[in-house]
Amino acid sequence: MEHIRTTKVEQVKLLDRFSTSNKSLTGTLYLTATHLLFIDAHQKETWILHHHIASVEKLALTTSGCPLVIQCKNFRTVHFIVPRERDCHDIYNSLLQLSKQAKYEDLYAFSYNPKQNDAERLRGWELIDLAEEYKRMGVPNSNWQLSDANREYKICETYPRELYVPRIASKPIIVGSSKFRSKGRFPVLSYYHQSKEAAICRCSQPLSGFSARCLEDEHLLQAISKANPANRYMYVMDTRPRLNAMANRAAGKGYENEDNYSNIRFQFVGIENIHVMRSSLQKLLEVNGTKGLSVNDFYSGLESSGWLRHIKAVMDAAIFLAKAIAAESASVLVHCSDGWDRTSQVCSLGSLLLDPYYRTIRGFMVLIEKDWISFGHKFSERCGHLDGDPKEVSPVFTQFLECVWHLTEQFPQAFEFNEAFLLQIHEHIHSCQFGNFIGNCQKEREELKLKEKTYSLWPFLLDDQKKYLNPLYSSQSQKSAVLEPNTVSFNFKFWRNMYHQFDRTLHPRQSVFNIIMNMNEQNKQLEKDIKDLESITAVSGDRPGGQAESTLTTLGQSDATRPTSC
Amino acid sequence: MEFAELIKTPRVDNVVLHRPFYPAVEGTLCLTGHHLILSSRQDNTEELWLLHSNIDAIDKRFVGPLGTIIIKCKDFRIIQLDIPGMEECLNIASSIEALSTLDSITLMYPFFYRPMFEVIEDGWHSFLPEQEFELYSSTISEWRLSYVNKEFSVCPSYPPAVIVPKAIDDDALRKVATFRHGGRFPVLSYYHKKNGMVIMRSGQPLTGTNGRRCKEDEKLINATLRAGKRGYIIDTRPLNIAQQARAKGGGFEQEAHYPQWRRIHKSIDRYHILQESLIKLVESCNDQTQNMDRWLSKLEASNWLTHIKEILTTACLAAQCLDREGASILIHGTEGTDSTLQVTSLAQIILEPRSRTIRGFEALIEREWLQAGHPFQQRCAQSAYCNSKQKWESPVFLLFLDCVWQILRQFPCSFEFNENFLIMLFEHAYASQFGTFLGNNESERCKLKLQQKTMSLWSWVNRPSELSKFTNPLFEANNLVIWPSVAPQSLQLWEDSEAYLLK
């Protein structure tokens, strides 16, 4: 609380970001230890979590007061006018401090208390169990086994303790390979496709330079290839643009030389790096934040930001991966530079295309836990949870969610969850309210004792499951269905509900979704009524005749006919 | 003339048909006076039944003895026929070309079409002006139905019956007609029951360079104002275009002569600018290989969504003046047959719940487009694949339907009809077995005796079996004014129609 000088300011104006008539609401602004709160004259509350604040800006004083512009990581932009410059300055300074914490322990998750006891909290953390998930995929089996090589994080600090590798890959081979891979991230199993016996594996770039080789690494790749009895070759996907990968060779890194590895098919797929993605999003937000934007400026801005091009590149890579497995039964090894950004995107999206389980609410949580959290996507750095290097911040996970959203648009029946679920997850990767996304790898999370000190997000989402259900979902038709999205440029659209989530004036005014949900609810209720009434008539039918019985019977019959007629 | 003269080869075997979404089929191609039919030989079922009038352009290609005809349709479909034998192919191509470009309207299919369904309600009589006026008459005492144009002599593009202020007699109307482009004197387009304010539409005033005025014209539109109230004139053209129009005898209302009116200029494009926009849009939709940047820049360059935004913005402005400001409005552009009708009809979609029902929307099309003299015959002669660059070909009506679709997307439960209804109207405006969209105005339709000789589209649509296809299951009557968002982020490309091929 030492950062808060002013806790309450009255007569503050909240401007509508897109209104051309400068519409505004007047109300009171409160500053708490965790939130900035605005309550307008109609008692409508706007809560802004300090951790969500990406930037605060104090603009030049105007006649009506001092403007304060706050941009949030969930793409909310608020524009306040504080009557007195002094108050504005106090709030500005406080927010600067509060939005950038220096230590993990100061994050909201460590003080957030949903009034659960220790047992409940622990059960929450056990909800998603990755060992269970590998079992569901069908490993360990005769070709794949659990390796204890990284049990103490000795080989790779950013990998989880439990890793699955080909049964024939011995520990020296693993250790040897890890020394030849950037940050020790050697090839391990990400997803096993049971019926095709093909695997998605992931790693970081090899330290090949211009000519270096590593026999253990070559052996490990061969072992992965051999673990797939159905196919004699495997793909190695380098998700970077060819030029970037080549430039890495000068630094002693690089990519696999096809001559040194037997039976590999090497492929670049050209997804840009985190810096390109960060500035692309920056440009996109600049364009769509413009007041009175013309159609032409919007589309030329959309084009020059390159955002949809990047989304398409990620999607194309995932499709390539899924095709290799589904159509050719070939195993695929995916990497980028460090194997925690683009590799996570491509492996998780590829699995999602292949396996309908990941398109369910619980399956999607498992997928995020596996390919993002456990394999060391650096959430804290990418989301800027702490006051750190701004060059490490990048919307890699946001892009993943956007790719999933595009899939839900193309396959409206294939997903158990709806858009609100994706938006809610996006909200919480930045909120630091739950422990899941805090830290950059499992080892760090264990050191932070997150499971003891914070709560897991997933049980809270599951409790609210109703809000996130897709009414059009048809689980039957999805059995073993591989999604084959069409990636013609024209199928990629601007995700208005993400980037303008809080700009209600830009949204459709009626939601088909809510109506279908309500209709489903009504149907269920009616069906339940029928059952109840039928059971009553059945019971009363056994009794000797009486007046009460006959009334019930007619009631039951008339109700039973209702749903068929509507 | 006999169609047989144009059909050199009526039938070719072993023709292969390729079209989007379907596997290729081999079958027998037949040409009739109005149709191109392909039936596969196996079970004698038709695979394709295409109206010649739906054909926008054709291309021929030859590889050895195999000829290929690529047919580009007005509804944006592209169909390919592989025809064995060069002579057959050439014959078929020249026949299609001749049959799809017949000059005489009376040779068109609607004059030959005999319905296979029972007519429950004759659509020609479904939306008579008298009935429409009847709907209002209890509430609007200051207005009357005038038959001054009974012989189409006062205004050739107006229907025989129009609604005008009671205070203005027919002689005055005749005078006003001489002061307005095409004789299109101001008439009632919409009456807002909530506050008694109205939308009127007309052609531009013929002020010319020396500022001609017409007392009767001023009296006519002032008759719609309440004491002490101002009205708005929305000119759909930018000021400079309106000023240029004076050199050709046109112009706009001078403040000095219309002191109670505030004039607002908007810029809705017309004619070939819209046609070129459509051509560019469909061309880029058809190119599936282009990368993201190229697609976005082509979509932008087509300007299609810019036109949508401008039209919707103007319609919102009109609706706002009426509903929020409580002011009456007069809308016109140059002729008052294109952008004017887009604005008046969309304003009604926004304001009037009835126009969002199937029946009400049909009445709106009948009143604000057909009766109001939108020249369908000229505007819809060609579509996205034409090269003729004729000034009068223009997707004005398609843009209107697209705007309705945009509002429908934003208010998915407020419309009784669905997207298919809009697509159906688009298709029939360009090629149809029904007479509804033939001719350019009521006068031409009368001369063609369409009511006697052809079937109305509404006779077919308004049967329960057809209606069910066009009904929106989520419809819940919404009696409120619906304000759409016109921000670029809220507008979408109508893929099902514009990008027919990609869905």
Side-chain angles (χ1 to χ4, degrees):
Chain A
M1 292 296 274
E2 74 265 32
H3 302 302
I4 301 178
R5 262 193 235 129
T6 307
T7 54
K8 180 178 174 186
V9 189
E10 285 173 356
Q11 290 297 312
V12 172
K13 279 196 190 118
L14 174 63
L15 299 188
D16 182 335
R17 179 179 177 202
F18 291 106
S19 157
T20 39
S21 54
N22 277 331
K23 254 193 258 167
S24 71
L25 291 166
T26 306
T28 308
L29 195 62
Y30 298 90
L31 195 57
T32 77
T34 53
H35 290 84
L36 182 69
L37 167 63
F38 178 79
I39 302 181
D40 67 23
H42 310 292
Q43 298 303 310
K44 202 182 143 264
E45 298 174 3
T46 306
W47 289 83
I48 296 168
L49 192 61
H50 297 326
H51 294 316
H52 269 147
I53 295 175
S55 73
V56 201
E57 216 182 335
K58 214 175 85 187
L59 305 182
L61 194 67
T62 67
T63 46
S64 52
C66 190
L68 187 69
V69 180
I70 300 172
Q71 309 248 17
C72 298
K73 293 170 181 174
N74 54 8
F75 308 116
R76 185 202 285 273
T77 299
V78 283
H79 194 144
F80 290 117
I81 297 203
V82 184
R84 292 194 330 168
E85 191 179 13
R86 174 76 208 251
D87 292 334
C88 186
H89 193 73
D90 281 350
I91 290 177
Y92 170 74
N93 276 333
S94 302
L95 289 179
L96 276 189
Q97 301 288 334
L98 293 164
S99 62
K100 292 256 181 285
Q101 301 295 351
K103 310 195 297 286
Y104 281 120
E105 285 75 10
D106 291 333
L107 294 177
Y108 185 30
F110 291 89
S111 61
Y112 174 65
N113 181 4
K115 305 204 170 61
Q116 286 192 348
N117 60 35
D118 287 355
E120 283 173 306
R121 194 191 57 227
L122 206 64
R123 233 178 297 134
W125 279 109
E126 284 163 357
L127 190 69
I128 303 297
D129 178 359
L130 289 186
E132 257 325 291
E133 168 57 10
Y134 284 102
K135 225 183 271 169
R136 187 195 67 87
M137 290 179 203
V139 290
N141 58 27
S142 55
N143 290 315
W144 294 88
Q145 66 174 0
L146 179 64
S147 157
D148 59 2
N150 203 40
R151 190 132 286 169
E152 306 299 324
Y153 297 116
K154 276 199 182 119
I155 298 183
C156 176
E157 291 206 325
T158 57
Y159 265 173
R161 291 174 188 271
E162 305 205 324
L163 293 166
Y164 291 83
V165 295
R167 205 168 271 278
I168 55 168
S170 64
K171 198 163 174 186
I173 284 188
I174 290 172
V175 174
S177 165
S178 78
K179 290 192 173 129
F180 187 64
R181 292 279 170 179
S182 187
K183 310 276 196 313
R185 293 171 68 91
F186 61 97
V188 297
L189 182 78
S190 157
Y191 175 73
Y192 181 73
H193 194 291
Q194 217 161 354
S195 62
K196 302 276 181 196
E197 297 182 278
I200 300 176
C201 294
R202 55 185 292 168
C203 61
S204 60
Q205 64 183 335
L207 305 174
S208 52
F210 290 100
S211 59
R213 304 181 50 166
C214 168
L215 287 178
E216 290 92 340
D217 193 61
E218 291 163 22
H219 274 300
L220 185 52
L221 261 66
Q222 203 163 16
I224 292 172
S225 191
K226 279 189 180 151
N228 177 353
N231 207 307
R232 275 168 300 126
Y233 60 88
M234 69 182 277
Y235 284 99
V236 175
M237 276 174 81
D238 189 327
T239 56
R240 299 168 294 181
R242 178 192 296 270
L243 268 179
N244 299 21
M246 282 166 67
N248 261 303
R249 289 197 298 191
K253 299 163 188 172
Y255 52 92
E256 291 80 358
N257 182 340
E258 269 179 296
D259 298 338
N260 299 339
Y261 293 84
S262 48
N263 305 321
I264 68 162
R265 295 189 178 180
F266 186 85
Q267 181 79 31
F268 286 112
V269 291
I271 303 173
E272 298 288 350
N273 66 27
I274 57 165
H275 311 295
V276 174
M277 300 309 191
R278 180 180 54 248
S279 66
S280 170
L281 179 63
Q282 195 57 42
K283 274 186 214 146
L284 181 77
L285 296 179
E286 270 166 39
V287 171
N288 66 29
T290 316
K291 230 184 198 182
L293 184 65
S294 77
V295 172
N296 284 358
D297 287 346
F298 176 63
Y299 280 100
S300 67
L302 198 57
E303 180 200 339
S304 70
S305 77
W307 184 254
L308 289 178
R309 174 160 47 93
H310 300 315
I311 296 292
K312 176 168 153 59
V314 175
M315 192 78 100
D316 279 332
I319 292 167
F320 180 90
L321 169 62
K323 268 197 187 139
I325 301 232
E328 298 178 53
S329 302
S331 290
V332 187
L333 175 65
V334 184
H335 71 73
C336 45
S337 297
D338 290 319
W340 49 45
D341 294 310
R342 290 168 272 202
T343 302
S344 296
Q345 288 177 330
V346 175
C347 288
S348 55
L349 265 184
S351 315
L352 185 89
L353 293 175
L354 289 165
D355 193 335
Y357 174 63
Y358 297 129
R359 296 172 225 145
T360 64
I361 288 186
R362 188 184 274 263
F364 194 64
M365 296 172 176
V366 168
L367 186 68
I368 292 172
E369 277 288 341
K370 175 169 71 74
D371 273 313
W372 292 86
I373 296 174
S374 89
F375 277 113
H377 173 67
K378 302 199 286 179
F379 275 104
S380 272
E381 294 207 339
R382 295 292 176 261
C383 302
H385 289 161
L386 298 178
D387 192 10
D389 184 357
K391 286 213 172 82
E392 284 289 327
V393 175
S394 186
V396 177
F397 188 75
T398 307
Q399 289 183 317
F400 162 69
L401 292 179
E402 181 163 338
C403 287
V404 176
W405 174 76
H406 274 105
L407 291 173
T408 63
E409 288 282 290
Q410 275 200 41
F411 303 96
Q413 291 190 290
F415 291 81
E416 189 191 11
F417 50 83
N418 59 23
E419 188 181 44
F421 185 62
L422 299 174
L423 294 176
Q424 192 63 12
I425 292 174
H426 186 257
E427 183 86 0
H428 284 298
I429 61 167
H430 295 107
S431 73
C432 302
Q433 186 176 351
F434 299 95
N436 307 61
F437 303 106
I438 290 173
N440 293 308
C441 59
Q442 291 297 58
K443 183 165 180 268
E444 198 177 6
R445 288 188 193 101
E446 284 172 18
E447 286 162 5
L448 287 169
K449 298 202 168 39
L450 290 173
K451 290 195 179 176
E452 289 155 49
K453 295 181 177 169
T454 72
Y455 293 85
S456 166
L457 167 67
W458 309 127
F460 292 87
L461 292 185
L462 276 182
D463 280 349
D464 266 352
Q465 197 168 150
K466 257 194 183 164
K467 276 200 247 169
Y468 307 124
L469 285 176
N470 170 13
L472 303 177
Y473 177 56
S474 118
S475 58
Q476 279 309 309
S477 67
Q478 291 310 316
K479 268 193 182 151
S480 73
V482 176
L483 299 186
E484 292 174 44
N486 182 339
T487 58
V488 173
S489 301
F490 132 140
N491 273 327
F492 291 85
K493 292 177 188 108
F494 174 70
W495 191 5
R496 182 189 53 222
N497 290 358
M498 170 66 99
Y499 304 102
H500 290 295
Q501 200 184 151
F502 299 94
D503 304 310
R504 306 303 301 179
T505 53
L506 300 185
H507 290 228
R509 308 299 206 267
Q510 292 171 329
S511 153
V512 171
F513 229 72
N514 293 345
I515 289 197
I516 298 180
M517 282 313 258
N518 289 343
M519 290 200 311
N520 276 352
E521 276 306 305
Q522 277 172 9
N523 264 354
K524 267 187 210 145
Q525 188 57 44
L526 286 172
E527 273 163 28
K528 198 178 151 280
D529 288 354
I530 296 172
K531 279 223 178 83
D532 289 353
L533 289 164
E534 275 172 354
S535 66
I536 293 172
T537 45
V539 171
S540 57
D542 293 340
R543 276 194 229 132
Q547 210 172 356
E549 181 217 338
S550 64
T551 345
L552 276 173
T553 317
T554 39
L555 238 182
Q557 278 166 350
S558 66
D559 262 54
T561 52
R562 210 168 20 164
T564 35
S565 64
C566 40
Chain B
M1 187 193 66
E2 283 293 319
F3 292 118
E5 291 166 23
L6 298 174
I7 305 172
K8 291 172 194 151
T9 306
R11 187 193 148 113
V12 190
D13 288 328
N14 304 325
V15 173
V16 181
L17 162 73
H18 304 268
R19 57 183 163 161
F21 321 117
Y22 297 93
V25 215
E26 192 180 323
T28 302
L29 180 73
C30 296
L31 285 189
T32 72
H34 295 104
H35 284 97
L36 180 150
I37 303 158
L38 188 122
S39 51
S40 64
R41 285 165 306 171
Q42 284 82 3
D43 44 9
N44 245 354
T45 51
E46 292 95 30
E47 301 289 347
L48 178 72
W49 189 280
L50 184 74
L51 263 181
H52 293 315
S53 57
N54 193 357
I55 295 171
D56 206 24
I58 67 168
D59 287 339
K60 307 182 278 275
R61 272 206 312 253
F62 291 96
V63 181
L66 182 75
T68 295
I69 301 179
I70 294 164
I71 299 175
K72 298 174 177 174
C73 302
K74 289 178 186 166
D75 60 17
F76 311 137
R77 259 183 303 173
I78 295 183
I79 292 163
Q80 183 183 327
L81 295 171
D82 295 341
I83 298 170
M86 191 184 288
E87 197 192 328
E88 282 85 353
C89 185
L90 282 171
N91 283 345
I92 295 282
S94 70
S95 302
I96 296 176
E97 223 153 332
L99 289 165
S100 63
T101 52
L102 293 176
D103 284 331
S104 167
I105 295 182
T106 51
L107 290 177
M108 305 282 275
Y109 188 48
F111 289 93
F112 297 82
Y113 171 71
R114 290 293 160 262
M116 302 292 280
F117 57 87
E118 189 197 349
V119 177
I120 301 168
E121 174 195 339
D122 184 357
W124 290 119
H125 304 298
S126 292
F127 306 102
L128 296 175
E130 287 79 6
Q131 290 168 1
E132 290 292 304
F133 185 69
E134 196 82 342
L135 285 175
Y136 281 136
S137 59
S138 58
T139 40
I140 55 174
S141 50
E142 304 108 328
W143 297 84
R144 69 183 180 98
L145 206 56
S146 161
Y147 291 96
V148 66
N149 198 40
K150 203 165 60 192
E151 310 295 329
F152 303 108
S153 53
V154 177
C155 171
S157 62
Y158 269 173
V162 289
I163 305 173
V164 293
K166 227 176 210 164
I168 309 298
D169 61 25
D170 283 357
D171 283 339
L173 291 178
R174 283 189 195 95
K175 277 189 192 133
V176 178
T178 62
F179 181 66
R180 289 279 173 177
H181 193 117
R184 295 175 69 91
F185 53 89
V187 295
L188 181 85
S189 157
Y190 170 65
Y191 180 87
H192 198 40
K193 282 187 190 135
K194 186 174 136 192
N195 55 16
M197 292 296 126
V198 297
I199 298 178
M200 288 177 295
R201 53 178 158 74
S202 67
Q204 64 178 343
L206 303 174
T207 58
T209 38
N210 42 15
R212 218 179 119 213
R213 66 188 284 193
C214 171
K215 283 270 161 68
E216 287 80 6
D217 187 75
E218 292 157 26
K219 197 177 154 206
L220 193 163
I221 71 166
N222 286 341
T224 66
L225 294 175
R226 302 259 163 90
K229 276 273 194 181
R230 273 159 68 101
Y232 289 88
I233 294 172
I234 297 177
D235 191 326
T236 60
R237 306 162 294 179
L239 181 61
N240 62 325
I241 305 270
Q243 279 166 339
Q244 284 164 21
R246 288 190 298 197
K248 290 183 193 157
F252 52 88
E253 294 81 358
Q254 305 281 336
E255 284 86 350
H257 304 151
Y258 298 86
Q260 287 163 286
W261 294 82
R262 220 190 115 199
R263 207 177 63 243
I264 303 171
H265 288 275
K266 300 297 289 182
S267 51
I268 300 179
D269 276 310
R270 299 183 309 149
Y271 302 140
H272 62 282
I273 296 177
L274 303 181
Q275 185 77 354
E276 273 159 30
S277 172
L278 178 67
I279 291 170
K280 278 188 199 157
L281 178 74
V282 172
E283 184 189 292
S284 62
C285 285
N286 282 334
D287 180 2
Q288 301 209 19
T289 57
Q290 62 198 343
N291 65 30
M292 186 66 70
D293 290 0
R294 210 171 148 68
W295 156 247
L296 289 172
S297 82
K298 279 186 150 184
L299 178 61
E300 182 208 336
S302 81
N303 276 328
W304 185 260
L305 289 169
T306 304
H307 297 310
I308 297 283
K309 182 171 155 72
E310 196 58 41
I311 296 165
L312 274 175
T313 306
T314 311
C316 286
L317 173 75
Q320 227 161 359
C321 292
L322 206 66
D323 189 67
R324 297 273 168 92
E325 305 267 319
S328 282
I329 325 167
L330 171 67
I331 300 173
H332 67 75
T334 305
E335 290 95 340
T337 54
D338 295 283
S339 56
T340 304
L341 305 182
Q342 288 172 330
V343 177
T344 57
S345 52
L346 284 167
Q348 296 180 48
I349 296 280
I350 293 168
L351 294 167
E352 163 76 307
R354 178 173 170 249
S355 65
R356 296 173 224 141
T357 63
I358 290 181
R359 197 94 193 164
F361 192 70
E362 289 170 358
L364 183 78
I365 303 277
E366 187 70 34
R367 212 172 54 232
E368 290 299 301
W369 290 87
L370 293 162
Q371 303 273 333
H374 175 66
F376 278 99
Q377 191 77 42
Q378 289 182 347
R379 297 289 179 262
C380 302
Q382 294 257 262
S383 174
Y385 301 114
C386 83
N387 306 310
S388 70
K389 299 236 164 117
Q390 295 284 9
K391 192 187 170 191
W392 57 75
E393 287 156 4
S394 185
V396 175
F397 186 62
L398 174 60
L399 275 163
F400 158 70
L401 293 176
D402 196 333
C403 288
V404 176
W405 180 81
Q406 303 285 350
I407 306 177
L408 174 74
R409 291 282 301 196
Q410 297 188 26
F411 296 88
C413 313
S414 298
F415 289 80
E416 192 190 3
F417 51 86
N418 59 23
E419 176 182 58
N420 294 335
F421 188 62
L422 299 174
I423 293 176
M424 181 274 294
L425 288 170
F426 157 66
E427 288 170 347
H428 283 279
Y430 280 84
S432 177
Q433 66 269 44
F434 302 106
T436 300
F437 290 106
L438 289 182
N440 290 307
N441 49 50
E442 237 359 67
S443 150
E444 287 188 23
R445 281 188 280 271
C446 275
K447 280 187 201 115
L448 289 166
K449 297 200 167 56
L450 293 181
Q451 292 203 14
Q452 294 85 45
K453 294 186 172 170
T454 73
M455 177 65 56
S456 161
L457 172 65
W458 313 129
S459 303
W460 171 69
V461 171
N462 286 335
R463 292 171 318 124
S465 57
E466 290 306 316
L467 279 179
S468 65
K469 292 181 211 158
F470 302 127
T471 307
N472 175 7
L474 299 175
F475 176 60
E476 272 178 73
N478 171 3
N479 284 319
L480 300 172
V481 175
I482 54 174
W483 300 107
S485 160
V486 295
Q489 293 98 320
S490 306
L491 301 178
Q492 289 183 25
L493 184 69
W494 186 12
E495 306 118 339
D496 286 336
S497 141
E498 272 112 29
Y500 219 102
L501 309 170
L502 296 164
K503 264 282 172 180

